[in-house]
Amino acid sequence: MLTHSETYSSGTQNTGHGNHKEDSPFLKGADAASKRNDFYDRNLALFEEELDIRPKVSSLLSRLVNYTNITQGAKEHEEEESTEASRSKTPKSPNMGTLMGVYLPCLQNIFGVILFLRLTWIVGMAGIMQSLLIVLMCCSCTMLTAISMSAIATNGVVPAGGAYFMISRSLGPEFGGAVGLCFYLGTTFASAMYILGAIEIFLKYLVPQAAIFHSTDPLGSDSAMLNNMRVYGSICLTLMAVVVFVGVKYVNKLASLFLTCVIISIVSIYAGAFKSMTHPPEFPICMLGNRTLVRDRFDVCAKTVIEGNITMPSQLWDRFCLPGNMSSAQCDDYFMQNNVTEIQGIPGLGSGIIRENMWGNYLQKGEILEKAGLQSVDAHGAMDNFGMYVSADIATSFTLLVGIFFPSATGIMAGSNRSGDLRDAQKSIPVGTILAITTTSLVYLSSVVLFGSCIEGVVLRDKFGDAVRKNLVVGTLSWPSPWVIVIGSFFSTVGAGLQSLTGAPRLLQAIAKDNIIPFLRVFGHGKSNGEPTWALLLTGLIAELGILIASLDMVAPILSMFFLMCYLFVNLACAVQTLLRTPNWRPRFKYYHWALSFLGMSMCLALMFISSWYYAIVAMGIAGMIYKYIEYQGAEKEWGDGIRGLSLSAARYALLRLEVGPPHTKNWRPQLLVLLKLDEDLHVKYPRLLTFASQLKAGKGLTIVGSVIQGNFLDSYGEMQAAEQAIKNMMEIERVKGFCQVVVASKVREGIVHLIQSCGLGGMKHNTVVMGWPYGWRQSEDPRAWKTFINTVRCTTAAHLALMVPKNVSFYPSNHERFTDGNIDVWWIVHDGGMLMLLPFLLKQHKVWRKCKMRIFTVAQMDDNSIQMKKDLATFLYQLRIEAEVEVVEMHDSDISAYTYERTLMMEQRSQMLRQMRLSSAERQREAQLVKDRHSLVRMGSLYSDEEEEVVEAPPEKVQMTWTREKCEAERRNRNNAPENFRELMSLKPDQSNVRRMHTAVKLNEVIVNRSHDARLVLLNMPGPPRNTDGDENYMEFLEVLTEGLERVLLVRGGGREVITIYS
């Protein structure tokens, strides 16, 4: 037995992964030989007939092992590959540990351009306390998100797509697509931000002389700088895109080099800070009064210099004064009245400067940087000299700084994106990510304190280092040289930009391959090796938009929005799954809680609106539009997502609430059960029934479409599924929002009864049945059609359900037609709950019937006061808030006409004849012909005439009919052979109750045709079937007579309860 099992395992080892789509619970794909082994396994004989669909545990496990060994990006999780391809591909064993696989990639992604270029400026503007608050808020947000992400990432295998995959499989394709695109846009703008950072370092600190545009006006230097950034940024982006296109492997190989640059730079900052305790670096700042001067515009920080024994004006003097004699020179007032002093730019860790930098000092655009402690005489200075002072280039506030800093906390998804390369992803992702966030948070918090403790306030607020001879401010603190930071930060920003430019197209490709956003389908294709060429092109174009903005401070809040949106939904996904207690929610990471996820979600939302409320609205608008687009396109994906589970919980809660009692009359609306008939090919026979249902619902309420297939359930299951699919397709075409239920029953009648009894759930059950008229029931020898119809009428009455029967339904308008005029006529003969009033009102909500007017007719007998009835009816309609024309039709007593009598007689004869169906086929045909001829004689003789003379019934042998001689001779020959009961048939006297009923039907029909022959739709009360089942066929005839000559008729039968009220 052991040998046999081993043989099987080895046979299935190389079969690949087979079909591992999420809708199949097991991974199939064993070859024929192993199937045979399954069937003949002696120990599993009880299960041998099902082993093709329920595989052995050993074979399942061997395939699962192969499945989880797929390397990252080797193939898309949900795409099935051919057996040959999977055989030829030898899965590489993932071997990355926590350090190399998660911790270091996260560090590299989190540390970035903001730390080197903007953190000192943020500390200077916001002060140490508020800067600590900013860092704490951003890092807490990412830490809470990391906890949620760890729970999701350890709840099963996370293949290519990282964050997008997690969110889409947790919250569904709509949220997944929306958040995936937000994450993609965030990553794309991040590449733009890194490129802008690299260009800023290049033009400001590395090669300032490389600038193309120069400003003659000191005030216009900003625009020249922005244009330089645009030109060099575009060139840099193009080069990076070419590198990514040529080979990603080079980017991945350089990743460790870039990470080394970051770590060396950070270490040099700490080394410089601690060295400043004893030996602070020499970076003097020149102050005029309390204002900071741009240091590279002059050589000596003094008004005069002594050359030989002569006091000469310095370069600084020349900048502020017109040429001429020193005593009589025309100088700037502020320059003349204030002294020039020099202070230390880096006082050092032990200097106590921390007290001055503790609180914020926000500036408006163009405001000059001033030191609070220095003496200054306030005097009006000339605008020509404004370029000599260091000033704020943008207006700052706490909220703006939050938006600029947040990108330096992003990058926490790097570990989860590499889950396929990890030796133990379930363990490495949480540990590595949380450690990386803890490390970076500590670095940021300590950096804020060190910068505030070591560097002078005006230098901190000096964004571009103008006061320290155009040096990078953080570089002034570093040891052994500022160049360590400048070069290190340049390479790290270039590396981060390349990483973003590599990751974003792959994310877009993963979204495109899922095929949930149709217009992105083209971006799923790429080079033969899978490189996303088209996605890279789009990424480059979007990144170029960010570069054209040209300001790091403007781009940072944009990508903050998109990342915050992504993190918000990661938290939401974790919270939803936890609260719903989905059976499949079993994360290995146990240190999560829904409250933490909600706190993280709230923080993300708060940070979005804190940093930039208008960007937040735009980002949410983009996500909302993508969500609605995917929903509108109908993403045919079932990923077992949490939103589906949330819908289930909400539905369960609502159903339990509905179960409390029947709805109030004010809340009553027709919840339809539409009974459809299918033909032999399982096509819907009367699709206009669905059209009518959709027009009546106008998208609201419950609609269940039911059908019955005759047969045995075990044999007809496939047929039932095909019928369900056909009905669903037709429902989609006719825009009917509802559910479909097909039952298999041995008799159609029983199936319909099952549907009426069992459709719906709890309080969401149907209260109205819609079914078609059994056309051709007279011509059919098989009475089952009309018997099923009458049985359904009886069942709906017994179940206290309303009933609607659209007659001539093929003449009903389609959803594309529009009635520009015409009437909907209601014939209110008996009151059965107000259905007749409510239905036209609901129909008029639909665009097809909107322009039609409503007319209500009621019937007055001889002893009724018709004038008073009309007044009362008008008042009643006014109180119902229904606009309709009111008419009372008087029906005079009249004798029963000959036509009525003959019609009744003919009806009864036909019934009698069909009871005698045991006759031979030839005799049956002859009798039917006889009755048909008699019918034609009667019809010709009486056309809706009350005054016509009554035709006296003659003995059968003297019946006067328009027969030919041949017919007479044939009849005479067959006279002796005719059975006795046929003679009885011809000598029938009609039943008086039937004559009365026929009289009512004829009279009502005459009145209705007279008044409503041109109506768009006629609604009238449907009389109930007789209590005695013997008269069923007569009942069908009465209904036919009642509705004769009308194009569109809706027969309505109330459910025995009031459905409309005059009260609010």
Side-chain angles (χ1 to χ4, degrees):
M1 182 186 77
L2 182 63
T3 314
H4 177 88
S5 175
E6 283 170 356
T7 308
Y8 178 76
S9 295
S10 63
T12 55
Q13 196 70 28
N14 296 324
T15 57
H17 324 292
N19 174 10
H20 52 256
K21 288 189 177 178
E22 292 177 26
D23 58 349
S24 68
F26 304 113
L27 307 176
K28 304 174 188 173
D31 57 20
S34 55
K35 276 189 181 177
R36 279 199 297 277
N37 290 346
D38 281 344
F39 279 120
Y40 295 111
D41 197 319
R42 292 170 194 167
N43 295 325
L44 295 176
L46 273 176
F47 303 96
E48 64 183 14
E49 289 187 1
E50 294 185 313
L51 281 174
D52 56 338
I53 56 167
R54 293 181 167 86
K56 284 198 306 182
V57 173
S58 58
S59 59
L60 173 72
L61 291 177
S62 70
R63 278 174 235 148
L64 278 174
V65 167
N66 280 352
Y67 168 66
T68 50
N69 281 352
I70 299 272
T71 49
Q72 189 70 21
K75 71 199 281 276
E76 176 62 15
H77 175 60
E78 291 190 62
E79 281 194 334
E80 195 177 343
E81 267 195 2
S82 63
T83 316
E84 293 79 14
S86 52
R87 276 182 183 155
S88 64
K89 198 174 288 180
T90 309
K92 191 184 80 178
S93 177
N95 53 9
M96 279 193 177
T98 306
L99 183 72
M100 292 302 293
V102 181
Y103 180 71
L104 292 178
C106 280
L107 274 191
Q108 186 188 351
N109 277 267
I110 295 170
F111 284 136
V113 63
I114 303 294
L115 170 63
F116 303 116
L117 292 185
R118 293 289 181 271
L119 191 58
T120 51
W121 175 70
I122 289 170
V123 174
M125 290 294 180
I128 292 172
M129 296 305 290
Q130 289 187 30
S131 298
L132 287 173
L133 181 62
I134 290 171
V135 173
L136 205 61
M137 281 167 65
C138 296
C139 293
S140 303
C141 178
T142 51
M143 178 63 87
L144 291 170
T145 305
I147 291 169
S148 299
M149 187 197 73
S150 299
I152 297 170
T154 57
N155 187 49
V157 182
V158 178
Y164 160 70
F165 188 91
M166 287 192 292
I167 294 164
S168 61
R169 270 48 172 189
S170 300
L171 293 179
E174 294 90 355
F175 277 112
V179 179
L181 277 183
C182 282
F183 193 48
Y184 163 72
L185 289 171
T187 312
T188 306
F189 274 105
S191 65
M193 184 189 77
Y194 289 128
I195 290 169
L196 288 173
I199 300 302
E200 186 176 306
I201 295 167
F202 179 75
L203 287 177
K204 287 276 185 183
Y205 312 114
L206 278 173
V207 194
Q209 58 271 27
I212 300 167
F213 300 95
H214 299 279
S215 173
T216 50
D217 176 18
L219 296 174
S221 59
D222 283 355
S223 59
M225 181 63 191
L226 292 180
N227 287 331
N228 286 322
M229 298 277 277
R230 288 183 183 114
V231 172
Y232 279 102
S234 302
I235 294 167
C236 185
L237 174 65
T238 309
L239 290 172
M240 282 187 178
V242 168
V243 170
V244 172
F245 178 76
V246 169
V248 179
K249 56 178 182 288
Y250 303 118
V251 179
N252 293 334
K253 282 177 182 173
L254 290 170
S256 52
L257 171 68
F258 297 140
L259 179 62
T260 310
C261 290
V262 175
I263 292 169
I264 291 171
S265 302
I266 291 168
V267 169
S268 77
I269 293 170
Y270 281 103
F274 290 115
K275 182 178 173 291
S276 71
M277 288 179 73
T278 53
H279 299 88
E282 282 295 322
F283 280 100
I285 307 165
C286 193
M287 307 292 291
L288 176 60
N290 63 354
R291 295 181 180 179
T292 315
L293 295 170
V294 177
R295 193 66 184 83
D296 66 335
R297 296 281 179 94
F298 51 92
D299 51 2
V300 181
C301 183
K303 289 186 179 182
T304 57
V305 289
I306 299 170
E307 292 182 8
N309 286 323
I310 305 166
T311 304
M312 299 285 289
S314 66
Q315 284 186 4
L316 186 63
W317 180 283
D318 293 341
R319 292 279 185 181
F320 281 95
C321 301
L322 293 172
N325 192 345
M326 276 185 66
S327 57
S328 62
Q330 291 183 344
C331 290
D332 185 273
D333 286 349
Y334 188 85
F335 177 76
M336 292 304 291
Q337 294 181 34
N338 287 281
N339 295 324
V340 174
T341 53
E342 202 168 51
I343 60 170
Q344 190 59 30
I346 314 286
L349 202 57
S351 63
I353 196 75
I354 188 169
R355 283 191 294 275
E356 289 181 28
N357 293 333
M358 195 63 76
W359 304 108
N361 188 3
Y362 296 110
L363 301 175
Q364 293 302 312
K365 184 176 182 178
E367 202 172 329
I368 295 168
L369 271 60
E370 297 176 345
K371 180 169 168 61
L374 290 178
Q375 273 190 339
S376 170
V377 177
D378 196 18
H380 184 69
M383 278 304 291
D384 294 343
N385 299 317
F386 183 77
M388 289 298 296
Y389 302 114
V390 181
S391 60
D393 64 331
I394 56 169
T396 50
S397 62
F398 179 78
T399 57
L400 177 85
L401 298 183
V402 170
I404 290 173
F405 178 76
F406 187 79
S408 59
T410 61
I412 61 172
M413 300 286 183
S416 65
N417 289 352
R418 294 163 179 254
S419 59
D421 296 332
L422 300 172
R423 193 181 305 118
D424 183 1
Q426 314 272 322
K427 180 186 170 189
S428 297
I429 289 175
V431 173
T433 308
I434 289 167
L435 271 178
I437 292 173
T438 308
T439 307
T440 52
S441 302
L442 289 172
V443 168
Y444 286 142
L445 292 168
S446 58
S447 297
V448 166
V449 175
L450 286 175
F451 292 158
S453 307
C454 298
I455 305 173
E456 174 61 52
V458 286
V459 180
L460 286 173
R461 287 190 286 281
D462 179 8
K463 187 188 285 185
F464 301 115
D466 290 330
V468 284
R469 295 187 181 276
K470 299 283 185 185
N471 274 304
L472 182 61
V473 173
V474 70
T476 59
L477 184 62
S478 65
W479 178 88
S481 162
W483 287 102
V484 175
I485 291 278
V486 173
I487 294 167
S489 61
F490 178 74
F491 279 114
S492 73
T493 48
V494 168
L498 277 171
Q499 292 276 347
S500 299
L501 215 53
T502 309
R506 274 157 186 70
L507 181 60
L508 183 62
Q509 191 179 35
I511 298 168
K513 280 189 173 178
D514 265 340
N515 203 17
I516 53 171
I517 305 173
F519 68 81
L520 289 182
R521 204 170 292 148
V522 66
F523 299 109
H525 309 300
K527 289 197 289 189
S528 55
N529 61 350
E531 289 297 312
T533 315
W534 291 106
L536 178 62
L537 187 65
L538 181 70
T539 306
L541 290 172
I542 296 171
E544 179 61 25
L545 292 177
I547 283 166
L548 291 176
I549 294 171
S551 167
L552 188 71
D553 306 316
M554 294 288 284
V555 175
I558 296 174
L559 69 107
S560 295
M561 287 309 123
F562 290 124
F563 278 120
L564 279 166
M565 181 79 76
C566 178
Y567 295 167
L568 185 147
F569 282 108
V570 169
N571 285 304
L572 176 66
C574 181
V576 165
Q577 300 271 41
T578 310
L579 286 173
L580 290 176
R581 297 190 182 91
T582 316
N584 192 50
W585 179 246
R586 303 185 295 276
R588 287 190 177 279
F589 179 75
K590 300 295 180 191
Y591 306 102
Y592 68 93
H593 193 269
W594 63 266
L596 289 176
S597 299
F598 266 118
L599 181 62
M601 197 171 76
S602 309
M603 284 190 74
C604 288
L605 198 62
L607 282 172
M608 282 174 76
F609 282 94
I610 284 171
S611 55
S612 176
W613 64 266
Y614 42 90
Y615 279 154
I617 291 169
V618 170
M620 292 170 92
I622 290 170
M625 283 192 291
I626 297 164
Y627 178 94
K628 292 309 287 182
Y629 175 75
I630 297 171
E631 189 181 56
Y632 174 75
Q633 285 292 330
E636 300 282 329
K637 301 282 179 186
E638 176 50 74
W639 287 329
D641 51 83
I643 292 296
R644 183 63 59 90
L646 190 62
S647 306
L648 200 66
S649 293
R652 174 181 162 274
Y653 174 75
L655 281 169
L656 290 171
R657 287 286 306 272
L658 279 174
E659 194 67 17
V660 175
H664 191 272
T665 306
K666 286 187 283 189
N667 293 330
W668 194 94
R669 61 180 66 196
Q671 316 280 25
L672 303 180
L673 169 61
V674 183
L675 298 175
L676 284 186
K677 192 172 183 181
L678 303 176
D679 60 18
E680 295 80 12
D681 299 327
L682 299 180
H683 294 140
V684 178
K685 208 165 183 184
Y686 301 113
R688 284 293 160 89
L689 270 176
L690 289 174
T691 315
F692 172 70
S694 73
Q695 290 168 6
L696 189 63
K697 301 309 294 176
K700 303 289 188 294
L702 174 73
T703 305
I704 303 170
V705 180
S707 189
V708 180
I709 290 176
Q710 197 166 356
N712 183 356
F713 179 71
L714 296 176
D715 303 330
S716 306
Y717 180 70
E719 195 180 343
M720 183 188 86
Q721 284 191 312
E724 261 190 27
Q725 194 54 51
I727 290 173
K728 281 178 182 171
N729 292 343
M730 188 54 71
M731 287 169 73
E732 200 172 320
I733 291 166
E734 297 295 343
R735 295 180 186 172
V736 176
K737 290 184 179 176
F739 309 100
C740 168
Q741 190 160 354
V742 178
V743 296
V744 179
S746 54
K747 292 179 184 174
V748 174
R749 188 188 302 186
E750 287 177 6
I752 289 174
V753 173
H754 293 329
L755 282 172
I756 289 171
Q757 286 183 85
S758 61
C759 274
L761 183 64
M764 281 298 279
K765 287 183 79 71
H766 56 278
N767 54 29
T768 306
V769 176
V770 180
M771 66 171 173
W773 178 261
Y775 302 102
W777 66 272
R778 280 184 181 142
Q779 288 75 30
S780 173
E781 293 175 2
D782 185 3
R784 279 182 299 183
W786 58 263
K787 282 190 173 175
T788 303
F789 175 81
I790 295 173
N791 187 62
T792 309
V793 176
R794 285 200 172 98
C795 288
T796 53
T797 307
H800 299 292
L801 301 174
L803 175 68
M804 287 188 277
V805 182
K807 198 159 177 278
N808 303 331
V809 76
S810 53
F811 293 129
Y812 276 57
S814 71
N815 282 326
H816 304 296
E817 292 178 47
R818 302 279 185 281
F819 287 141
T820 52
D821 57 358
N823 299 310
I824 299 176
D825 285 359
V826 177
W827 283 86
W828 193 21
I829 298 158
V830 292
H831 179 63
D832 56 359
M835 274 279 285
L836 283 170
M837 309 293 167
L838 190 60
L839 291 174
F841 171 75
L842 294 174
L843 277 175
K844 275 168 64 70
Q845 306 303 306
H846 197 274
K847 54 194 172 190
V848 172
W849 303 92
R850 193 165 287 150
K851 300 272 179 76
C852 292
K853 291 179 180 173
M854 186 172 157
R855 297 193 299 184
I856 294 182
F857 297 91
T858 189
V859 175
Q861 302 300 326
M862 284 300 289
D863 51 349
D864 292 328
N865 183 343
S866 57
I867 298 169
Q868 188 59 42
M869 270 180 77
K870 188 169 181 177
K871 281 183 184 173
D872 293 345
L873 183 56
T875 308
F876 179 58
L877 287 175
Y878 177 76
Q879 289 172 336
L880 285 177
R881 289 93 62 204
I882 290 176
E883 289 181 23
E885 207 178 299
V886 177
E887 286 194 42
V888 176
V889 178
E890 294 181 352
M891 286 191 69
H892 302 288
D893 284 340
S894 63
D895 294 332
I896 292 166
S897 68
Y899 169 66
T900 304
Y901 193 81
E902 289 292 344
R903 188 81 188 249
T904 313
L905 181 62
M906 183 266 293
M907 173 187 78
E908 290 193 357
Q909 284 175 346
R910 185 180 182 282
S911 300
Q912 184 75 19
M913 182 184 70
L914 289 173
R915 286 193 195 100
Q916 298 164 3
M917 280 297 185
R918 296 188 193 89
L919 298 173
S920 68
S921 177
E923 288 173 332
R924 199 182 312 154
Q925 284 174 5
R926 192 171 58 77
E927 283 186 36
Q929 186 64 45
L930 189 68
V931 174
K932 188 177 175 186
D933 287 344
R934 181 178 177 84
H935 178 204
S936 62
L937 175 71
V938 170
R939 279 302 302 244
M940 282 192 299
S942 55
L943 287 170
Y944 298 100
S945 172
D946 285 343
E947 291 79 20
E948 187 181 315
E949 293 177 11
E950 195 169 321
V951 177
V952 180
E953 185 66 22
E957 57 272 4
K958 292 181 183 176
V959 172
Q960 295 185 6
M961 295 187 184
T962 55
W963 287 2
T964 62
R965 183 174 296 174
E966 290 79 11
K967 274 190 177 180
C968 286
E969 286 173 1
E971 176 62 19
R972 207 171 286 118
R973 278 199 303 273
N974 293 328
R975 181 73 52 91
N976 296 328
N977 300 332
E980 193 64 34
N981 51 20
F982 180 63
R983 293 200 185 94
E984 289 172 13
L985 177 69
M986 299 306 290
S987 61
L988 264 178
K989 289 279 176 78
D991 182 78
Q992 283 305 308
S993 64
N994 283 345
V995 172
R996 275 201 324 276
R997 287 190 177 92
M998 183 62 81
H999 177 66
T1000 306
V1002 169
K1003 291 288 292 179
L1004 275 174
N1005 177 258
E1006 188 180 317
V1007 171
I1008 293 169
V1009 169
N1010 186 29
R1011 296 296 186 94
S1012 301
H1013 59 88
D1014 59 346
R1016 299 292 189 188
L1017 180 65
V1018 176
L1019 289 85
L1020 57 94
N1021 292 107
M1022 181 178 181
R1027 289 190 179 89
N1028 182 5
T1029 54
D1030 293 341
D1032 282 358
E1033 196 182 355
N1034 300 341
Y1035 171 69
M1036 293 297 295
E1037 191 67 43
F1038 295 145
L1039 292 181
E1040 284 281 13
V1041 172
L1042 185 62
T1043 56
E1044 247 175 13
L1046 297 170
E1047 188 182 18
R1048 299 185 196 93
V1049 188
L1050 182 63
L1051 295 168
V1052 182
R1053 193 160 164 70
R1057 60 161 293 170
E1058 292 293 331
V1059 300
I1060 197 163
T1061 177
I1062 61 173
Y1063 300 107
S1064 62

